[in-house]
Amino acid sequence: MEVLLLGTAAAEGIPAFYSDSRVSLYAREHGGRDVRTRSGALVDGALKIDLPPDTLMQMHREKLDARDWSALLFTHGDDDHFAPRELQYCLFPFCEMEYVGFQIYGNDKVTDRIAFLYPDWPIEVIQTKSFESFRHADFTITPIAANHNAKEDSQNHLIQRAGQTLLYATDTGIWRDSTWEFLADFKLDLLVIECTEGLLPDEYEGHLSADEVLYVVDRLRNARILKPCARVVTTHHSHNGNATYEELKTFLEPHGIEAGFDGMRIEI
């Protein structure tokens, strides 16, 4: 399994859209891995996770073609993950296509919004629910409940293929007991986990700070949910976390955690 991190920023991006924060100023000056676009990923070139506003630029940057997607999987309906008006460009008259060539999966908020915007369009949309597995091609996908927004079934995703298991966990917070109990039956080869609040945590419970990432990862390791050789990579970083890429790397590496970056390819 290969996971391509197309974007690794939180909602504001880095440099942030309208900020002169220390992290934004550093990214504008230094570029490279400190420049982050809104979070999204691609699994095995076919399974697209989230459709942020930066998707088109990310695809151009990586020389990818959306016609290779077989599925678009949404984690939740926040604007930095779910830009549904971009879907119209998959169809005539914006291109030659007469139907969307990939299936779309998402919670009820996501599917209801797509149905409202495109009531008569040839788009296949399938509603997902936390803790209910489904098959797509040769993937088994199991949404699990994130602790992000009480008004929505925000989902992290267990993605299994050819004996390997990925957990993609962005906008997660620290899981509730029901999610921890459900995870006990899985063995992870790769964890991609948000680190939104970085080195400057705030009071919001729906995102993780770097210290909270350590707590979650240690608990997964102690419960033997993470395999001994499993990789752990961060994503969904905010400039408000007050950490550059190198500062995150310095903090995380002693704990066996990799700081993710845009364009990172992870093989498991």
Side-chain angles (χ1 to χ4, degrees):
M1 187 182 294
E2 180 191 74
V3 180
L4 171 58
L5 300 184
L6 290 167
T8 56
E12 313 88 0
I14 302 178
F17 179 69
Y18 201 73
S19 174
D20 62 355
S21 64
R22 183 184 74 89
V23 171
S24 292
L25 290 172
Y26 186 90
R28 287 192 185 102
E29 181 178 353
H30 292 86
R33 294 180 179 180
D34 282 284
V35 174
R36 299 182 183 274
T37 56
R38 269 70 69 93
S39 290
L42 186 64
V43 181
D44 287 343
L47 181 60
K48 180 69 173 69
I49 304 177
D50 283 336
L51 189 72
D54 302 325
T55 300
L56 180 62
M57 181 275 291
Q58 294 167 347
M59 299 291 285
H60 292 336
R61 186 193 68 211
E62 300 297 325
K63 298 180 173 61
L64 300 173
D65 189 336
R67 291 172 296 181
D68 294 330
W69 302 350
S70 66
L72 173 57
L73 177 65
F74 284 107
T75 58
H76 63 304
D78 286 356
D79 290 342
D80 56 320
H81 297 262
F82 178 53
R85 292 192 179 275
E86 294 296 293
L87 292 172
Q88 66 186 302
Y89 304 121
C90 296
L91 290 166
F92 182 85
F94 297 102
C95 68
E96 70 280 7
M97 303 298 292
E98 296 183 355
Y99 63 93
V100 174
F102 49 84
Q103 294 174 310
I104 300 174
Y105 298 91
N107 65 24
D108 56 347
K109 180 178 178 179
V110 167
T111 57
D112 288 352
R113 179 63 174 163
I114 294 174
F116 174 79
L117 290 173
Y118 307 106
D120 301 313
W121 290 45
I123 301 174
E124 185 175 1
V125 183
I126 302 164
Q127 185 176 320
T128 61
K129 296 181 180 180
S130 286
F131 309 121
E132 295 186 8
S133 299
F134 60 92
R135 292 280 297 178
H136 172 80
D138 53 354
F139 293 99
T140 299
I141 302 169
T142 307
I144 62 172
N147 184 14
H148 181 63
N149 183 346
K151 297 180 180 180
E152 180 182 2
D153 181 17
S154 298
Q155 298 170 357
N156 301 157
H157 291 97
L158 290 155
I159 300 171
Q160 297 172 288
R161 187 184 197 189
Q164 297 176 319
T165 302
L166 156 71
L167 174 53
Y168 187 86
T170 184
D171 291 60
T172 176
I174 294 176
W175 295 304
R176 302 178 189 90
D177 288 345
S178 57
T179 299
W180 282 107
E181 292 165 5
F182 187 84
L183 283 170
D185 293 330
F186 291 85
K187 302 295 181 185
L188 306 181
D189 298 281
L190 171 63
L191 170 64
V192 177
I193 187 167
E194 64 140 305
C195 188
T196 309
E197 297 172 6
L199 304 181
L200 190 63
D202 60 32
E203 296 181 355
Y204 179 53
E205 295 182 353
H207 284 307
L208 298 178
S209 67
D211 283 330
E212 289 170 328
V213 169
L214 299 188
Y215 166 79
V216 170
V217 170
D218 284 347
R219 187 167 171 179
L220 288 169
R221 286 172 173 160
N222 290 335
R224 299 185 179 180
I225 298 168
L226 272 173
K227 293 181 180 179
C229 59
R231 293 178 68 178
V232 180
V233 180
T234 61
T235 190
H236 204 273
H237 298 280
S238 172
H239 72 119
N240 290 315
N242 196 34
T244 66
Y245 170 78
E246 286 295 335
E247 290 165 348
L248 284 167
K249 182 179 177 182
T250 298
F251 180 89
L252 295 169
E253 274 193 346
H255 304 279
I257 301 171
E258 302 171 61
F261 54 88
D262 285 23
M264 183 179 189
R265 292 180 182 269
I266 310 163
E267 298 274 0
I268 59 173

